Amino acid sequence: MIFFIYQIVTKPLTSKLIRNEACPVCNTQDSLELTLYMRYIAMLIPLFGMGRRTSVICTNCGNVLKNPDSSIFAKKKYSNKVADAVKDIRQNHKRTLWQLVYPWSIWFILPFLILILLGISAINKKNTEEKAKEYAELIMHPQTGDIYKSTWFENGLSQGVLVKLMRINGDTLYVVKTKQKIQMSFSKDEWNKLSADPAAFEAKEYKIKNFSILKETNFGDLFMYNNDENGKQYPIYLGAILNSKCEMDLGFETIERKK
């Protein structure tokens, strides 16, 4: 069970004496002190404002003409001059930005937040679509020397490797993978641990179907095709080019081609 401990704080902001006005109890002139308060909810730190309140107290006899904790619908027991002074102090006291934030302020801010989020979402969607087109162009028209950040499925495990396209023969791509592997990651720093130097790749080549043959079926997936005893080809799944469908914004390139 979670408990939230909070308190309602009434903090004085400014005070002034109401000139040329006497206390109705002790009849002392210029003894009525008007104070403007800020009320807010605090949980160790101030959170939301709950509006401003005012009090009017006689500094001579302690008579309370206006209690800051009284209801806003409470009957006024003071003169029009005191009422004007209360109105004046509320209007002329300059509030900070924080003092303008109330729990219900979110309803004024919410439409702008929604518009901002929709704008960010639209921009991200457009960037994702453009990146997907870029990846599609690279995959559908592979070139010798292309290097892919890919998953590699082996011995029941899926790990990260660099896959290099060595040559193209008809509808067959000949690729090699790096000797070193990493745990599957979406971190650029982790992928930077894999070297793209020629010596970092194994000598063993894998024959896979040209991506343009597969088209959008298994788009960016690596399938090795072997022949069974009847001469019919059957696919063996090797892995997939990371983010080949641009489903995630990884923040780094996963298909590298020398310019």
Side-chain angles (χ1 to χ4, degrees), residues 188-206:
K188 181 179 180 180
D189 292 337
E190 287 297 312
W191 284 97
N192 285 341
K193 295 177 181 178
L194 298 177
S195 172
D197 292 336
F201 291 91
E202 296 177 350
K204 181 180 178 179
E205 292 185 339
Y206 297 86

Side-chain angles (χ1 to χ4, degrees), residues 228-248:
D228 60 17
E229 61 275 8
N230 297 319
K232 184 178 180 180
Q233 287 188 333
Y234 64 94
I236 298 176
Y237 178 73
L238 298 177
I241 299 173
L242 195 64
N243 206 31
S244 61
K245 298 180 183 177
C246 201
E247 295 171 342
M248 298 169 290

Side-chain angles (χ1 to χ4, degrees), residues 186 188 243 248-253:
F186 299 117
K188 181 179 180 180
N243 206 31
M248 298 169 290
D249 182 10
L250 298 179
F252 59 90
E253 297 296 329

Side-chain angles (χ1 to χ4, degrees), residues 112-160:
F112 296 99
L113 292 178
I114 292 175
L115 288 175
I116 291 172
L117 291 175
L118 288 175
I120 293 174
S121 177
I123 292 172
N124 289 339
K125 182 179 180 181
K126 182 178 180 181
N127 291 339
T128 299
E129 290 174 350
E130 290 178 353
K131 181 59 68 174
K133 291 179 181 178
E134 178 184 336
Y135 280 148
E137 179 65 24
L138 293 173
I139 290 174
M140 301 306 284
H141 301 90
Q143 293 183 11
T144 299
D146 286 353
I147 295 178
Y148 311 107
K149 293 181 176 68
S150 307
T151 61
W152 194 268
F153 188 76
E154 196 171 59
N155 299 324
L157 293 175
S158 183
Q159 295 176 293

Side-chain angles (χ1 to χ4, degrees), residues 30-129:
D30 297 338
S31 64
L32 298 181
E33 184 178 51
L34 169 61
T35 303
L36 179 66
Y37 297 89
M38 179 70 187
R39 300 189 73 187
Y40 57 87
I41 296 175
M43 292 176 61
L44 299 180
I45 60 172
L47 295 178
F48 292 112
M50 296 182 64
R52 296 181 301 169
R53 297 294 184 92
T54 51
S55 72
V56 180
I57 301 175
C58 177
T59 58
N60 182 61
C61 68
N63 176 44
V64 179
L65 278 75
K66 189 175 188 301
N67 191 322
D69 295 320
S70 62
S71 169
I72 59 174
F73 301 106
K75 185 177 179 180
K76 295 180 174 61
K77 299 180 180 180
Y78 43 83
S79 67
N80 289 334
K81 187 167 185 177
V82 173
D84 290 340
V86 169
K87 183 178 180 180
D88 179 73
I89 199 172
R90 291 176 62 88
Q91 288 181 342
N92 294 315
H93 180 262
K94 187 175 182 180
R95 286 183 283 182
T96 63
L97 180 61
W98 175 81
Q99 291 170 359
L100 293 171
V101 177
Y102 299 108
W104 52 86
S105 299
I106 189 64
W107 296 110
F108 298 98
I109 301 172
L110 190 60
F112 296 99
L113 292 178
I114 292 175
L115 288 175
I116 291 172
L117 291 175
L118 288 175
I120 293 174
S121 177
I123 292 172
N124 289 339
K125 182 179 180 181
K126 182 178 180 181
N127 291 339
T128 299
E129 290 174 350

